[in-house]
Structures are given as structure tokens and as C-alpha cells.
């Protein structure tokens, strides 16, 4: 990407991950400078399409680390993309912009990069923004319908009391779960934004950077110091255990058949029964 399209200006380098559509592998670059969403042939790497994604924002608010999400939008395979203070939907075959929602930082706050990836339940997208790590959380619910600029019509709810800066939210059985940067856990209804229950992992100076995973009613949350926190979330919050991997963990755990993959700074762990 750097050789072909020039260096990025991101303070923390590329943080977004590639995502696969039916035909392509898609990458986003959102930074101060030319920002874009691009699709490449899976086999050859040839460019299939590349569309600009440039917005005027306060300092660092145009820096984006979140990963596009493949969704079905009005019967078409589409890419839900968050960054530059705008949530957009692009046709996956052509890259054409078909839907856009802004207005996520009306106060014009500076130093708000987009990190957490949006999650979708039905026709509702939930966007974590703000600086939860500095006590300035923002959480938004947006309805995914209509066309064009829906900023004035599709905002369902907004909250400024809970959020997450780095870990992405996770969906489980129609509800959304947040693990905040300091270990606060919140379960809420995506349609209304209302909290269902709250819990918290033990207080610690280390932060949470990897995104949580839920499998079989159990939540796994990696902490920066290498502790994997485990909780039962089937009926509220119940802490089950703390597992020390012996090295720092900032990556998100990945499930496999009867397995859990955890990547530390030096080691890839595969955990089974």
C-alpha cells in the first residue's frame, strides 16, 4: 500500500484490517491526506476500484483505524465504512457511495480518531466514538435504510455516559456488549440504546486494546498486560477467571472449532479443552 499509494500520515500506522467480499479484498486508508476505500482482485492484487473518502475534520479526527464491515444493504453486498467522522455505505462491486451519515462530533473536538469498528444488529449500526479513555465517551445508534445523506433522519439515539475507544463492541444474540478501555462491561439494546446490565472486570492500571469475543455465553477480554479475563454473560455479569499468558496481549482473540487463538507480542497460543 505504501509503495503504490504513498506513506500514511497516521500517528499509529495502519490499524485497519483487510476484509473479503465475494469478489475482492478491500482495504481502507483514512488519514490526513488522500483517503480512500479500494478493492483488489483476490488472486492477482490488481486494483478493481478505488473511491475517495475525504472529509474536513478537526486535528486527528480524519485518522481512521476501524475495519470496513461487509453487510447486505437493500439486497446488495455492501461495505459499511466508519472514519473521517462519517459512516458510509458503498456498493461492494463498484465502490459507489450510496449512503452517508455524519454529525458525530458537533462540538468539533480534536484528537478523536476512529478506532473501534461498528457493529450491526438488523438495520441498526452502533458507532463508538469520542475518547472513552479520557472520560469523554460517545455512543450512537444509526438506522441503516434510505439513500444519500441521512444525517438528519437516521440517528436513533446518542449516549455520552458509556463507550469504548479502542476495543470494538461485540454482538451476541441480538444484544451489544461493550468492554471499555478500563474494563467496564455494558450490555445494551441496540434499538433503543438502553442499558440492560452493567458489570466490571477487576480494576487494574493496564488497558484493554484487543476486542472482546463471546462464544457459548462466555466473554473473553484480553488486557494489555497479558491477562485474559473471562466472564459468564448469559444472565448478567459473573467473573469466571483470569488467565495470565505471560506476555502482553493487544490483539483480539479468535475462535476456532473447540479452540481459542490468542496472539501475544511473542507467541501465538492455541487453547483447547
Amino acid at each position: 500500500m505504501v509503495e503504490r499509494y504513498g506513506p500514511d500520515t497516521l500517528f499509529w500506522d495502519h490499524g485497519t484490517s483487510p476484509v473479503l467480499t465475494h469478489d475482492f479484498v478491500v482495504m481502507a486508508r483514512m488519514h490526513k491526506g488522500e483517503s480512500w476505500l479500494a478493492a483488489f482482485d483476490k488472486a492477482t492484487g490488481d486494483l478493481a476500484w478505488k473511491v475517495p473518502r475525504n472529509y474536513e475534520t478537526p486535528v486527528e479526527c480524519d485518522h481512521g483505524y476501524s475495519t470496513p464491515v461487509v453487510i447486505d444493504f437493500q439486497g446488495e453486498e455492501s461495505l459499511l465504512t466508519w472514519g473521517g467522522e462519517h459512516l458510509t455505505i458503498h456498493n461492494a462491486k463498484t465502490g459507489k457511495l450510496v449512503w452517508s451519515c455524519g454529525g458525530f462530533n458537533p462540538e468539533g473536538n480534536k484528537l478523536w480518531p476512529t478506532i473501534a469498528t461498528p457493529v450491526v444488529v438488523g438495520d441498526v449500526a452502533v458507532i463508538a466514538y469520542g475518547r472513552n479513555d479520557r472520560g469523554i465517551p460517545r455512543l450512537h445508534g444509526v438506522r441503516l435504510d434510505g439513500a444519500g445523506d441521512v444525517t438528519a433522519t437516521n440517528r436513533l439515539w446518542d449516549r455520552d455516559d458509556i463507550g469504548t475507544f479502542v476495543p470494538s463492541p461485540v454482538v451476541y444474540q441480538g444484544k451489544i456488549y461493550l468492554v471499555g478501555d478500563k474494563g467496564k462491561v455494558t450490555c445494551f439494546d441496540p434499538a433503543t440504546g438502553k442499558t440492560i446490565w452493567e458489570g466490571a472486570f477487576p480494576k487494574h492500571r493496564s488497558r484493554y486494546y484487543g476486542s472482546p469475543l463471546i462464544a457459548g455465553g462466555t466473554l473473553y477480554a484480553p488486557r494489555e498486560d497479558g491477562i485474559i479475563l473471562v466472564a459468564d454473560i448469559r444472565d448478567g455479569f459473573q467473573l469466571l477467571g483470569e488467565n495470565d499468558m505471560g506476555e502482553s496481549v493487544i490483539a483480539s482473540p479468535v475462535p476456532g472449532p473447540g479452540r481459542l487463538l490468542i496472539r501475544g507480542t511473542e507467541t501465538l497460543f492455541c487453547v483447547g479443552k
Side-chain angles (χ1 to χ4, degrees), residues 65-82:
Y65 305 92
S66 67
T67 297
V69 180
V70 181
I71 63 171
D72 180 283
F73 182 68
Q74 299 176 354
E76 296 284 344
E77 185 183 36
S78 304
L79 291 152
L80 182 71
T81 306
W82 164 235

Side-chain angles (χ1 to χ4, degrees), residues 152-167:
T153 59
N154 284 38
R155 301 292 290 273
L156 290 175
W157 51 265
D158 302 282
R159 293 187 63 170
D160 61 5
D161 59 328
I162 62 169
T164 170
F165 182 50
V166 177

Side-chain angles (χ1 to χ4, degrees), residues 13-258:
D13 207 351
H14 281 102
T16 181
S17 298
V19 61
L20 294 175
T21 68
H22 183 271
D23 297 316
F24 307 120
V25 55
V26 176
M27 280 290 293
R29 176 185 283 181
M30 293 173 283
H31 65 157
K32 182 176 176 58
E34 185 197 0
S35 297
W36 43 260
L37 186 68
F40 303 89
D41 184 277
K42 293 178 184 178
T44 67
D46 292 340
L47 179 66
W49 53 257
K50 179 171 173 280
V51 295
R53 207 179 177 288
N54 299 302
Y55 298 100
E56 290 291 331
T57 72
V59 175
E60 202 186 356
C61 297
D62 48 6
H63 288 207
Y65 305 92
S66 67
T67 297
V69 180
V70 181
I71 63 171
D72 180 283
F73 182 68
Q74 299 176 354
E76 296 284 344
E77 185 183 36
S78 304
L79 291 152
L80 182 71
T81 306
W82 164 235
E85 299 188 338
H86 283 74
L87 185 67
T88 57
I89 297 177
H90 302 258
N91 183 280
K93 290 184 179 180
T94 66
K96 180 182 177 182
L97 176 66
V98 296
W99 183 99
S100 177
C101 184
F104 292 94
N105 183 15
E107 303 94 348
N109 292 287
K110 299 178 181 180
L111 309 180
W112 282 17
T114 55
I115 300 180
T117 295
V119 290
V120 177
V121 181
D123 65 349
V124 177
V126 173
I127 310 300
Y129 196 36
R131 290 301 299 259
N132 185 62
D133 63 327
R134 299 178 180 177
I136 317 173
R138 296 290 187 273
L139 199 63
H140 308 276
V142 180
R143 190 175 67 253
L144 300 179
D145 62 10
D149 187 345
V150 300
T151 302
T153 59
N154 284 38
R155 301 292 290 273
L156 290 175
W157 51 265
D158 302 282
R159 293 187 63 170
D160 61 5
D161 59 328
I162 62 169
T164 170
F165 182 50
V166 177
S168 297
V170 60
V171 178
Y172 185 70
Q173 294 185 345
K175 300 181 182 68
I176 294 183
Y177 297 79
L178 292 181
V179 175
D181 305 82
K182 297 181 180 180
K184 180 179 179 179
V185 182
T186 307
C187 171
F188 65 94
D189 182 345
T192 64
K194 293 183 178 178
T195 297
I196 298 172
W197 55 256
E198 291 182 340
F201 290 119
K203 290 185 178 181
H204 197 275
R205 65 181 181 276
S206 295
R207 299 293 180 96
Y208 293 77
Y209 290 113
S211 300
L213 166 71
I214 298 178
T218 303
L219 183 149
Y220 303 86
R223 203 169 63 197
E224 180 190 15
D225 61 345
I227 304 296
I228 309 298
L229 285 299
V230 185
D232 186 329
I233 49 85
R234 290 174 296 180
D235 186 22
F237 180 86
Q238 180 184 359
L239 181 66
L240 297 179
E242 304 180 29
N243 303 274
D244 190 349
M245 306 310 294
E247 61 189 65
S248 179
V249 176
I250 60 173
S252 306
V254 176

